[in-house]
Amino acid sequence: MLVLRLLNVVAPAYFLCISLVTFVLQIFLFIPSMFRDPSTTPLFSPALLHGALFLFLSANALGNYVLVIQSSPEDLGKGLNLGEGAEVMADWLDGSRSPGSALPSTHFCRLCARVTQRHDHHCFFTGNCIGSRNMRNFIMFCLYTSLACLDSFVAGMAYISAALSMSFANPLAFLTLLPHSISQFFSGALLSSEMFVILMLYLWLGIGLACAGFCCHQMLLVLRGQTRYQVRKGMVVRARPWRENLQEVFGKRWLLGLFIPVLNVGSDYRRQKEK
């Protein structure tokens, strides 16, 4: 438990550090290197277009990240009838559902010390549980984090290709890039800044693919009307049309959340809270 609590603090700091490094490299290294192309007008230069795209992806990733943290499941637990006595609290600490709770798939998280409705999992990178209140923002966070990492990966590949005068037309060139760069770095033929960018390339690719895979897996569960907690516990869910499952998570005005990091607009939970 001590290791998990430590990971719950270190993982968000690691994510914010990677985000800051990515932003600095994009703004002060990759984008300025694109201004060297004199064949395009300033309005449609690759630097401005890429800079606008990167800022859009970063703003949505960071905005949904903040909303996942702010949309804490703590408020949901205040309205639950958890009962009294050590026996009922022991049920919650074991991860089982409280007999006095009327909400489905509620779960008490030991790390958060909170109760989450439609609990999915505990995300260490946000230090928060993912449930009905912040599921939509978590999926959008994974989506835009993946796109921002892959965008940085492409920009970094273009920078390294120009800096080292090498071509990545052969797929094996990227696989042999790291060992070849390490040997050049220790021999003094490669700058430390270029070596750092090469290391970040593999990190961006790994994070981007991991977030994309996790986003697809989460969307599949949403379409089926399930959560990871329900699958892990073997809970049976009522079969519903996939449109209703999507509307429960994304709300009726889901298109707004694709471009702007907002809370669950028009979701069933929001309507129940207002009542």
Side-chain angles (χ1 to χ4, degrees), residues 32-50:
S33 65
M34 298 179 186
F35 278 105
R36 301 172 183 174
D37 186 6
S39 62
T40 57
T41 59
L43 183 60
F44 299 101
S45 64
L48 293 180
L49 294 178
H50 174 77

Side-chain angles (χ1 to χ4, degrees), residues 76-111:
L76 291 174
K78 295 179 180 178
L80 297 178
N81 180 18
L82 299 181
E84 298 179 356
E87 181 179 357
V88 174
M89 183 55 67
D91 293 337
W92 280 96
L93 291 176
D94 291 338
S96 59
R97 178 180 173 183
S98 171
S101 173
L103 295 177
S105 303
T106 50
H107 174 69
F108 178 83
C109 179
R110 300 180 182 181
L111 296 175

Side-chain angles (χ1 to χ4, degrees), residues 65-236:
Y65 179 81
V66 172
L67 290 178
V68 169
I69 299 177
Q70 287 185 346
S71 303
S72 170
E74 184 178 8
D75 294 335
L76 291 174
K78 295 179 180 178
L80 297 178
N81 180 18
L82 299 181
E84 298 179 356
E87 181 179 357
V88 174
M89 183 55 67
D91 293 337
W92 280 96
L93 291 176
D94 291 338
S96 59
R97 178 180 173 183
S98 171
S101 173
L103 295 177
S105 303
T106 50
H107 174 69
F108 178 83
C109 179
R110 300 180 182 181
L111 296 175
C112 295
R114 301 163 182 167
V115 179
T116 311
Q117 180 187 2
R118 288 190 59 81
H119 175 82
D120 189 87
H121 69 284
H122 180 88
C123 177
F124 289 99
F125 286 99
T126 60
N128 202 5
C129 278
I130 308 302
S132 61
R133 192 176 180 186
N134 53 11
M135 175 60 73
R136 203 273 308 271
N137 296 118
F138 176 75
I139 293 177
M140 290 294 100
F141 160 69
C142 291
L143 174 63
Y144 280 106
T145 299
S146 174
L147 294 177
C149 287
L150 295 179
D151 175 81
S152 300
F153 172 77
V154 173
M157 290 281 287
Y159 174 80
I160 291 298
S161 178
L164 302 182
S165 300
M166 62 181 303
S167 174
F168 291 99
N170 186 359
L172 295 178
F174 179 74
L175 298 178
T176 59
L177 175 63
L178 183 59
H180 182 67
S181 301
I182 292 177
S183 61
Q184 284 189 330
F185 175 74
F186 284 105
S187 64
L190 191 66
L191 299 177
S192 58
S193 60
E194 296 172 346
M195 185 64 200
F196 181 75
V197 172
I198 292 174
L199 293 176
M200 290 298 298
L201 288 179
Y202 290 90
L203 185 61
W204 286 326
L205 180 61
I207 295 177
L209 294 179
C211 289
F214 198 87
C215 181
C216 294
H217 174 69
Q218 206 70 43
M219 281 298 302
L220 179 61
L221 292 177
V222 170
L223 290 173
R224 296 168 57 183
Q226 290 182 310
T227 63
R228 294 179 61 188
Y229 177 73
Q230 291 174 338
V231 174
R232 188 171 67 251
K233 293 295 182 179
M235 297 180 179
V236 179

